[in-house]
Amino acid sequence: MKRISTVFVCALLLVCGAWGVAPNAQAQTQKTTGTAVPQVERKRAPIFRPTKEQIKQAQTMLKQRGLYGGDVNGKLDADTRAGLKKYQEGEGLKATGTLNRATLEKMNITLTDKQKLIS
């Protein structure tokens, strides 16, 4: 009987030990105190995305300035990104090659209501 109790206690300790070490999606164990701390799920900021029409307007402007030689098709392809980088460098903007809010505003391209809410 004593042997069964010892085996049971050892098995219970192994199970509890493994359970305490396993990662838990709901709480994270602090190493220093051993207390559970809930994980905080951070919301990501909305991503600023240009519309097809805004891309076309930007391509037209880049083409007029000789910074873009491709088609005005509303696609943010490699040639459009290269032209945007040249434009951004020339205008003192951060040269990202993306059609972000600062670039659209500098080009005097109207933002959508949704884009105006994104900082």
Side-chain angles (χ1 to χ4, degrees):
M1 187 71 166
K2 187 175 180 183
R3 186 172 179 95
I4 294 174
S5 298
T6 305
V7 171
F8 178 75
V9 169
C10 288
L12 184 61
L13 287 173
L14 286 172
V15 170
C16 289
W19 178 72
V21 174
N24 186 343
Q26 298 298 323
Q28 178 180 359
T29 303
Q30 277 185 331
K31 291 180 182 178
T32 55
T33 63
T35 59
V37 177
Q39 288 182 337
V40 178
E41 189 174 317
R42 295 184 183 181
K43 282 190 172 184
R44 291 187 176 196
I47 298 172
F48 189 93
R49 297 194 190 279
T51 64
K52 189 172 185 171
E53 186 56 37
Q54 288 169 329
I55 297 169
K56 285 181 180 181
Q57 290 175 31
Q59 287 172 330
T60 301
M61 180 182 288
L62 294 171
K63 198 168 201 148
Q64 290 170 348
R65 292 185 179 206
L67 301 173
Y68 174 68
D71 295 330
V72 177
N73 55 13
K75 295 181 182 176
L76 216 77
D77 55 14
D79 290 337
T80 304
R81 290 181 186 278
L84 284 169
K85 276 187 180 181
K86 290 176 191 173
Y87 174 82
Q88 290 165 332
E89 288 169 355
E91 294 294 325
L93 299 170
K94 185 175 179 182
T96 61
T98 61
L99 201 50
N100 54 28
R101 181 184 187 128
T103 305
L104 286 171
E105 289 175 342
K106 192 74 169 181
M107 292 179 146
N108 291 319
I109 297 175
T110 306
L111 300 176
T112 65
D113 291 337
K114 188 175 180 180
Q115 289 170 336
K116 290 175 185 176
L117 297 175
I118 300 172
S119 55

